[in-house]
Amino acid sequence: MRRALAGLTTRGRSFVAAGATAIVCAVVLGERDLLRAGVLVLVLPLLCMLAVSRTRYRLACARRLEPARLPVGRESRVDLRLENVSRLPSGLLMVEDRVPYALGGRARFVLERIEPHGSRQLGYRIRSDVRGRYRVGPLTVRLADPFGMVELVRSFSLSDTLTVTPAIVPLPHSRLSGAWTGGGDSVARAVSAAGEDDAAPREYRHGDDLRRVHWRSTARHGELMVRREEQHFQSSGTLFLDTRRTAHWGEGLSGSFEQAVSATASIGVHLVRTGMSLRYVTDAGEALPAAPSEGAFEGLLLDALAVARRSKGGSLSAGLTALRGGGREGEGLVVAVFGALTAEEARSVAEVRSGKGTRVAVLVGGGPAGGADRDAAAGLLRAAGWRVLPVRTAAALAQAWTAAGKAGEDFVRDGA
């Protein structure tokens, strides 16, 4: 009853106040008719309160997010199933699913009646222009009487998580995507000096391309043999993101940090889908080690970047130490995404030039003081053998990626 009294709506409280006032006036004035009207007005919300408080609806709820992870600016659909598992039909139900304001606010529905063991399907769409991890739910059901006097709130405990990842910029496949070292059998080791006909073959395996069949070796061994030199490389690399607060400026989607996060996500997804084994490092150190499968690392990387925030640290030492380490990963491709770099910081980054792998530095924006500092940092990095990709926004990354790939091809021809 205490919950029911707290559930009186404005209309119900008004009726109670009006009824009580009428009764008091009837007693003072000695008016029986006014007393009868006051009792009627007072009893009506009390009867509604009693009826709603004794309601024994048993409701079950299920929710599905499709998809549960999506880039910023995309829509996800929320499907709700509300089932009445009791033997009594429900009355008027007001259903409200709690949704963060960044996703569009709360979703509300009105259901007139759910028959015994019946169900209702509800759905709505949500979207966010801000990356992050959001809690959707729980579902709240408001029970009300037909007169609108009493309203009780019952909430489910079930909730789901929607992950909004940074915007992904598609990158073209270029020479840059194959310019690093890694494991596997190289062409130089597989092809002998006598020519292609003497290439070291291996037995055919399920899934091998029939165009790779080496017919002379097949005739010699009596079974299908394929050229070993066309095996795919198992390459490795490191993805670095500078999250220092002092290295970025601006707020919101146009700020350099959001653009750097988007660029990091785009590069990571591109490299993983080309078959590279990656690890993820920030200025604080290694954040994600290399995953055993491509799909697993892509999901982990996007989840980590969805909640990435600016760090309070002002030094790159921990991150650069992680770049120098990592075993085989330290000899593969390194792609580092920076904001503003001072000359001293650029010299520290330039010293990370161990092994035979390619080093790529993506410099996002021009800094609050203009492009002079960025040009100076780019010059120091280029002098140390880094390929530098200066971009204003993540949208310009695709063009810079292509240009860097063409530069790599020219370098290979000149060195041949």
Side-chain angles (χ1 to χ4, degrees):
M1 291 297 295
R2 185 177 300 175
R3 291 181 56 190
L5 285 172
L8 283 172
T9 63
T10 302
R11 179 183 300 176
R13 294 176 186 273
S14 300
F15 267 66
V16 171
T21 302
I23 292 175
V24 171
C25 293
V27 172
V28 173
L29 300 176
E31 294 288 340
R32 291 188 175 183
D33 294 337
L34 182 59
L35 177 63
R36 295 189 185 96
V39 171
L40 177 62
V41 172
L42 178 62
V43 168
L44 180 59
L46 297 180
L47 291 176
C48 293
M49 180 180 61
L50 180 63
V52 173
S53 63
R54 294 180 62 85
T55 300
R56 293 294 182 265
Y57 299 145
R58 295 175 56 197
L59 303 175
C61 172
R63 181 190 297 101
R64 183 180 65 179
L65 295 178
E66 185 61 36
R69 182 196 294 123
L70 73 164
V72 294
R74 300 287 184 86
E75 286 189 347
S76 178
R77 179 170 178 81
V78 182
D79 292 318
L80 292 169
R81 177 184 173 87
L82 192 63
E83 183 177 0
N84 181 13
V85 295
S86 65
R87 298 181 179 179
L88 298 175
S90 70
L92 182 66
L93 300 178
M94 288 175 284
V95 182
E96 180 178 310
D97 205 17
R98 297 182 182 178
V99 180
Y101 178 77
L103 300 181
R106 300 183 177 185
R108 298 177 179 179
F109 306 89
V110 177
L111 302 178
E112 294 184 357
R113 180 179 182 273
I114 302 180
E115 62 277 5
H117 302 291
S119 62
R120 294 291 184 272
Q121 301 288 342
L122 306 173
Y124 61 95
R125 294 186 177 274
I126 54 178
R127 60 168 288 169
S128 174
D129 292 328
V130 180
R131 60 181 177 84
R133 186 175 289 123
Y134 302 95
R135 182 186 180 189
V136 179
L139 184 72
T140 300
V141 178
R142 299 178 183 271
L143 306 176
D145 66 284
F147 300 100
M149 301 287 183
V150 182
E151 182 180 275
L152 294 184
V153 179
R154 296 179 181 177
S155 179
F156 294 90
S157 60
L158 177 67
S159 62
D160 292 276
T161 300
L162 177 70
T163 303
V164 181
T165 63
I168 305 296
V169 178
L171 300 181
H173 184 79
S174 63
R175 176 66 187 178
L176 184 62
S177 299
W180 52 84
T181 60
D185 298 322
S186 66
V187 176
R189 289 199 300 263
V191 181
S192 66
E196 184 182 355
D197 289 340
D198 294 326
R202 63 164 174 82
E203 67 278 2
Y204 174 84
R205 298 171 186 167
H206 180 71
D208 287 337
D209 192 344
L210 292 178
R211 292 174 295 182
R212 295 170 51 190
V213 173
H214 193 268
W215 296 109
R216 179 172 295 185
S217 299
T218 298
R220 184 184 303 119
H221 292 84
E223 60 178 339
L224 283 177
M225 307 291 290
V226 296
R227 289 186 291 271
R228 189 184 299 271
E229 71 272 16
E230 294 188 9
Q231 284 183 241
H232 295 290
F233 288 90
Q234 182 62 41
S235 302
S236 60
T238 302
L239 186 62
F240 180 90
L241 173 62
D242 184 6
T243 65
R244 296 173 303 152
R245 184 179 299 275
T246 56
H248 297 280
W249 60 96
E251 300 294 336
L253 299 178
S254 59
S256 67
F257 182 71
E258 291 299 325
Q259 297 300 318
V261 171
S262 179
T264 304
S266 302
I267 295 171
V269 170
H270 173 75
L271 294 179
V272 166
R273 291 180 180 178
T274 58
M276 171 166 282
S277 175
L278 279 181
R279 64 188 183 117
Y280 172 54
V281 177
T282 68
D283 53 284
E286 185 175 82
L288 288 175
S293 64
E294 300 174 7
F297 183 83
E298 179 178 337
L300 292 174
L301 176 64
L302 291 177
D303 287 345
L305 292 175
V307 295
R309 296 292 181 265
R310 301 183 189 185
S311 66
K312 297 181 180 179
S315 174
L316 288 170
S317 57
L320 297 182
T321 300
L323 281 183
R324 295 186 183 96
R328 285 180 57 186
E329 290 86 350
E331 299 180 357
L333 174 70
V334 172
V335 180
V337 181
F338 298 101
L341 284 177
T342 64
E344 185 64 29
E345 293 167 349
R347 292 188 186 94
S348 299
V349 175
E351 293 175 358
V352 185
R353 188 63 180 88
S354 60
K356 301 179 181 179
T358 303
R359 304 294 191 268
V360 181
V362 180
L363 304 182
V364 180
D373 292 341
R374 184 179 68 171
D375 294 341
L380 291 171
L381 293 175
R382 289 193 181 100
W386 285 69
R387 298 186 192 178
V388 181
L389 281 61
V391 296
R392 300 292 301 182
T393 63
L397 182 61
Q399 184 177 359
W401 192 264
T402 302
K406 292 180 179 179
E409 292 178 355
D410 295 338
F411 176 79
V412 171
R413 294 194 195 100
D414 294 341

